[in-house]
């Protein structure tokens, strides 16, 4: 019997409960699901290193027998072919996601007609959740409880504590705290 393998590509910076929800749903309908982290996203400065994101996703998915985590470079469809996947899973939270996702899915189909894109809907409570908002809320001191798994929350807190300490120690005389932070943010922590 044919086994259906899918990849779930993304930046996962950081992985959220919305990603986890989709992984769980995907693991139920595909025989095999590979969570594939893009190595060099256009986004120049990810908050978490690739190794950190991989570790977090591996811990989050440890309970699923048919889910694995990998990283990839280049075109998603080329990666899908390399690992012999039949489908690309993407989550659609709201209609606003649809335009971008549709464009990407159609372009991927043009590049590689044999790989299908499957859109999946996360649970309603995650329909407004995004990695970008999680990063922003955490960096500005808001609560991200319930938005990300506990281990991600812990990692975010550690990262932001280090960034704040670094910013405070680097703050040049006569600069406002925000100016000091802006300057140090360029350096990776
Ligand atoms: O989590 P994201 O940032 O929304 O994921 C976007 C991702 C990684 C799926 C997309 O940027 C991608 O597929 N990048 C790989 C390069 C590629 O295949 N580009 C052509 C897309 S049509």
């Amino acid at each position: 019997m044919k086994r259906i393998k899918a990849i779930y590509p993304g930046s996962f910076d950081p992985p959220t409960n919305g990603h986890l929800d989709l992984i769980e749903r995907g693991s139920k309908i595909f025989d095999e699901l590979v969570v594939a982290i893009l190595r060099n996203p256009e986004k120049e400065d990810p908050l978490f290193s690739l190794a950190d994101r991989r570790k977090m996703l591996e811990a989050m998915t440890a309970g699923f027998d048919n889910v694995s985590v990998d990283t990839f470079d280049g075109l998603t469809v080329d990666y899908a072919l390399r690992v012999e996947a039949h489908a690309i899973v993407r989550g659609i939270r709201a209609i606003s996601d649809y335009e971008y996702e549709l464009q990407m899915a159609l372009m991927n189909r043009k590049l590689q007609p044999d790989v299908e894109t499957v859109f999946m809907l996360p649970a309603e409570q995650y329909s407004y959740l995004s990695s970008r908002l999680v990063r922003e809320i955490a960096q500005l001191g808001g609560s991200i409880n319930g938005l990300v798994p506990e281990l991600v929350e812990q990692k975010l807190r550690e990262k932001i504590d280090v960034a704040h300490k670094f910013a405070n120690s680097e703050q040049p005389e006569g600069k406002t705290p925000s100016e000091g932070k802006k300057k140090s943010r360029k350096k990776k922590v």
Side-chain angles (χ1 to χ4, degrees):
M1 208 172 73
K2 187 174 170 180
R3 288 177 61 79
I4 308 290
K5 180 172 181 176
I7 60 167
Y8 177 28
S11 317
F12 304 104
D13 185 33
T16 67
N17 282 340
H19 293 128
L20 186 57
D21 178 77
L22 224 72
I23 291 168
E24 187 174 355
R25 289 171 196 278
S27 76
K28 288 182 188 151
I29 61 171
F30 296 105
D31 296 302
E32 233 182 294
L33 182 67
V34 183
V35 180
I37 314 166
L38 180 63
R39 257 185 240 144
N40 292 314
E42 277 172 40
K43 201 182 346 156
E44 28 34 80
D45 201 9
L47 182 63
F48 285 102
S49 70
L50 190 68
D52 274 349
R53 284 178 276 158
R54 185 178 194 144
K55 266 189 233 150
M56 289 187 276
L57 279 164
E58 279 172 349
M60 285 162 62
T61 58
F64 302 104
D65 288 346
N66 60 345
V67 177
S68 58
V69 180
D70 196 7
T71 61
F72 76 104
D73 251 336
L75 289 175
T76 295
V77 285
D78 288 346
Y79 173 74
L81 280 193
R82 263 201 317 279
V83 298
E84 298 181 352
H86 309 91
I88 296 170
V89 171
R90 291 289 291 169
I92 295 211
R93 292 160 297 191
I95 203 76
S96 49
D97 282 339
Y98 183 69
E99 217 174 312
Y100 169 67
E101 293 297 336
L102 176 71
Q103 186 185 20
M104 200 155 63
L106 292 176
M107 187 58 84
N108 280 335
R109 182 190 276 168
K110 166 107 181 92
L111 292 169
Q112 190 42 256
D114 292 338
V115 179
E116 288 297 336
T117 295
V118 177
F119 291 145
M120 296 187 70
L121 309 180
E124 295 90 291
Q125 72 261 35
Y126 303 130
S127 58
Y128 55 88
L129 175 55
S130 74
S131 296
R132 184 182 64 78
L133 284 180
V134 165
R135 283 197 305 273
E136 188 171 316
I137 294 164
Q139 278 166 334
L140 296 173
S143 168
I144 47 164
N145 192 260
L147 304 180
V148 294
E150 246 171 62
L151 89 151
V152 176
E153 193 175 341
Q154 175 70 29
K155 281 263 176 206
L156 267 165
R157 233 182 268 126
E158 284 167 18
K159 194 158 269 294
I160 280 146
D161 282 352
V162 173
H164 280 167
K165 273 189 202 133
F166 189 75
N168 289 338
S169 66
E170 281 278 299
Q171 202 176 296
E173 247 178 72
K175 297 254 179 191
T176 65
S178 65
E179 281 168 336
K181 266 181 211 157
K182 242 182 248 156
K183 184 163 181 269
S184 63
R185 204 180 289 149
K186 290 212 181 82
K187 302 195 179 177
K188 293 264 269 174
V189 287

